[in-house]
């Protein structure tokens, strides 16, 4: 029997899609992971009078796995046959079976170094996987980004430079970007321990929003462009020149962003996910179930799929990337 309170107080902090694009995993503030079938979700728009009762419930989890009662699951990743979960002071790999569509036992654990000033382990706030070399980059609450080799399960490099905890990590080839509570976005070459550039949006008068603070909650990069935001206004930066070329009229604090189909999306403490073109014009406003958006999972193949999760037990799905057409429920009431 589901605790009814969880239906009302659940927050989904993290999402990830399986490598084959067939399954969606969502991590909650209660330490649970929910598994959904993308194939069943995307086919639920099609009317089929012969569908079974199971087929008529594509919007509920295939599996709910209680991972921990010690902390929320702020970050998820996926590599080969493992679902990767970021917890307090450690990163764990859980065996995944595509055949049965279920998460199995914990297969491995990588312990992160304890912060020297405290005996407490720091939370893993965000993970980004470099598929080119199987290095997992984890932005943590001790202000450090760790590079973890998934070949041997060891921390291969530590990236120091932030003075407060890291909210977000993103990358493109050997280029990495981190967004932090300290108000900065640092740019890194993954092969070097020191950052090579710093962006501080709060120092630009056109981006300042003193009522929201200086922190940076999200960053996303391509070969040529970077978007970031948090307290300051959401903005587009040219990476080669580090010039701010456009800012966007997002009304609240930001927690998530990205690039899709030559457009830019952004979400945060607002009941809509916004899409913009590179000039800063709004191209779509997608309503969401919760008061805030904290994560987006996105793919264009084999299924066109975008899911938005945050301060709600429901997850909003867009199969055409411009409006919400399906809503998932993490619990059956």
């Amino acid at each position: 029997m589901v605790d009814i309170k969880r239906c009302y107080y659940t927050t989904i902090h993290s999402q990830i899609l399986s490598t084959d694009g067939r399954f969606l995993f969502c991590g909650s503030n209660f330490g649970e992971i929910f598994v959904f079938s993308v194939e069943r979700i995307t086919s639920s728009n099609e009317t089929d009078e012969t569908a079974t009762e199971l087929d008529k419930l594509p919007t509920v989890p295939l599996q709910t796995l209680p991972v921990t009662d010690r902390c929320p699951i702020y970050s998820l990743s996926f590599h080969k046959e493992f679902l990767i979960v970021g917890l307090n002071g450690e990163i764990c790999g859980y065996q995944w079976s595509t055949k049965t569509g279920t998460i199995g036992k914990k297969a491995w654990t990588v312990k992160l170094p304890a912060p020297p000033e405290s005996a407490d382990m720091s939370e893993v706030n965000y993970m980004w996987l470099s598929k080119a070399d199987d290095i997992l980059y984890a932005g943590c609450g001790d202000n450090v980004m760790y590079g973890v080799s998934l070949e041997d399960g060891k921390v291969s490099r530590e990236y120091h430079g932030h003075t407060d905890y890291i909210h977000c990590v993103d990358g493109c080839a050997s280029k990495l970007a981190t967004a932090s509570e300290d108000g900065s976005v640092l740019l890194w070459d993954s092969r070097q321990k020191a950052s090579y550039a710093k962006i501080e949006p709060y120092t630009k008068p056109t981006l300042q929003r003193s009522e929201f603070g200086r922190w940076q909650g999200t960053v996303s990069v391509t070969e040529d462009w970077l978007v970031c935001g948090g307290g300051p206004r959401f903005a587009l930066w040219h990476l080669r020149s580090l010039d701010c070329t456009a800012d966007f009229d997002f009304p609240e604090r930001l927690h998530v962003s990205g690039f899709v189909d030559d457009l830019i999306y952004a979400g945060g403490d607002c009941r809509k996910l916004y899409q913009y073109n590179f000039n800063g014009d709004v191209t779509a406003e997608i309503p969401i179930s919760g008061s805030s958006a904290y994560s987006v999972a996105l793919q264009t193949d084999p299924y066109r799929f975008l899911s938005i999760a945050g301060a709600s037990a429901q997850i909003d799905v867009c199969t055409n990337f411009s409006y919400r057409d399906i809503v998932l429920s993490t619990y059956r009431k």
Side-chain angles (χ1 to χ4, degrees):
M1 185 72 178
V2 172
D3 184 349
I4 296 300
K5 289 183 179 179
R6 293 204 173 188
C7 297
Y8 296 102
Y9 296 106
T10 291
T11 295
I12 304 298
H13 287 289
S14 54
Q15 299 182 85
I16 196 68
L17 289 154
S18 59
T19 304
D20 60 10
R22 295 174 51 209
F23 297 92
L24 171 70
F25 307 89
C26 307
S28 83
N29 58 320
F30 292 113
E32 295 176 310
I33 294 176
F34 307 99
V35 185
F36 295 90
S37 166
V38 174
E39 184 176 23
R40 287 173 58 202
I41 293 166
T42 54
S43 63
S44 67
N45 280 342
E46 303 171 9
T47 302
D48 183 0
E49 296 180 356
T50 65
T52 66
E53 284 302 310
L54 184 62
D55 291 331
K56 292 177 182 177
L57 293 172
T59 59
V60 298
L62 298 174
Q63 180 188 8
T64 299
L65 179 69
V67 172
T68 178
D69 58 5
R70 296 182 293 111
C71 62
I73 298 175
Y74 289 120
S75 56
L76 292 171
S77 189
F78 199 94
H79 179 254
K80 295 181 179 177
E81 69 274 16
F82 295 104
L83 173 67
I84 303 173
V85 183
L87 300 172
N88 278 356
E90 63 184 27
I91 297 170
C92 304
Y94 285 79
Q95 191 75 46
W96 167 251
S97 172
T98 301
K99 185 176 181 179
T100 62
T102 55
I103 305 169
K105 294 181 179 180
K106 181 163 60 175
W108 50 263
T109 299
V110 177
K111 295 286 186 180
L112 299 178
E117 70 280 0
S118 169
D120 295 332
M121 293 294 182
S122 63
E123 68 277 3
V124 180
N125 291 326
Y126 205 95
M127 295 187 293
W128 180 78
L129 175 63
S130 172
K131 297 178 181 178
D133 53 11
D134 292 342
I135 301 293
L136 184 71
Y137 295 93
C140 297
D142 59 358
N143 316 339
V144 181
M145 177 173 64
Y146 296 95
V148 178
S149 169
L150 295 181
E151 286 189 2
D152 58 17
K154 296 180 179 179
V155 175
S156 58
R157 182 156 291 170
E158 298 182 15
Y159 301 84
H160 296 261
H162 285 295
T163 58
D164 212 330
Y165 56 88
I166 297 172
H167 282 289
C168 187
V169 179
D170 197 29
C172 182
S174 63
K175 180 167 56 246
L176 300 168
T178 51
S180 170
E181 184 72 11
D182 64 19
S184 71
V185 171
L186 294 182
L187 299 176
W188 314 76
D189 183 318
S190 62
R191 299 160 294 189
Q192 306 295 326
K193 290 186 176 182
S195 64
Y196 66 84
K198 178 189 286 190
I199 296 172
E200 295 177 303
Y202 70 91
T203 63
K204 293 185 69 68
T206 56
L207 302 181
Q208 290 173 355
R209 296 191 297 181
S210 57
E211 69 274 25
F212 293 146
R214 58 192 281 178
W215 59 279
Q216 288 294 302
T218 179
V219 62
S220 299
V221 294
T222 67
E223 286 188 7
D224 301 312
W225 300 98
L226 177 148
V227 287
C228 62
R233 287 171 65 88
F234 187 51
L236 175 70
W237 301 73
H238 186 252
L239 279 176
R240 194 164 298 174
S241 63
L242 293 184
D243 290 332
C244 180
T245 63
D247 61 84
F248 307 94
D249 193 21
F250 189 87
E252 294 290 339
R253 292 172 284 256
L254 290 115
H255 302 299
V256 63
S257 64
F259 296 88
V260 57
D261 292 347
D262 296 323
L263 296 171
I264 299 162
Y265 65 82
D269 293 343
C270 177
R271 287 189 173 272
K272 293 178 180 179
L273 185 83
Y274 284 79
Q275 286 186 5
Y276 305 90
N277 61 26
F278 275 61
N279 293 323
D281 303 319
V282 175
T283 61
E285 299 179 22
I286 302 170
I288 63 174
S289 298
S291 57
S292 298
Y294 293 130
S295 70
V296 166
L298 170 68
Q299 67 180 15
T300 56
D301 185 69
Y303 305 97
R304 195 166 173 83
F305 184 88
L306 183 152
S307 61
I308 311 154
S312 173
Q314 295 180 311
I315 299 161
D316 303 292
V317 173
C318 311
T319 56
N320 64 358
F321 295 179
S322 60
Y323 63 85
R324 176 180 63 182
D325 47 357
I326 305 168
V327 178
L328 311 181
S329 299
T330 52
Y331 300 106
R332 301 188 195 187
K333 295 184 182 180

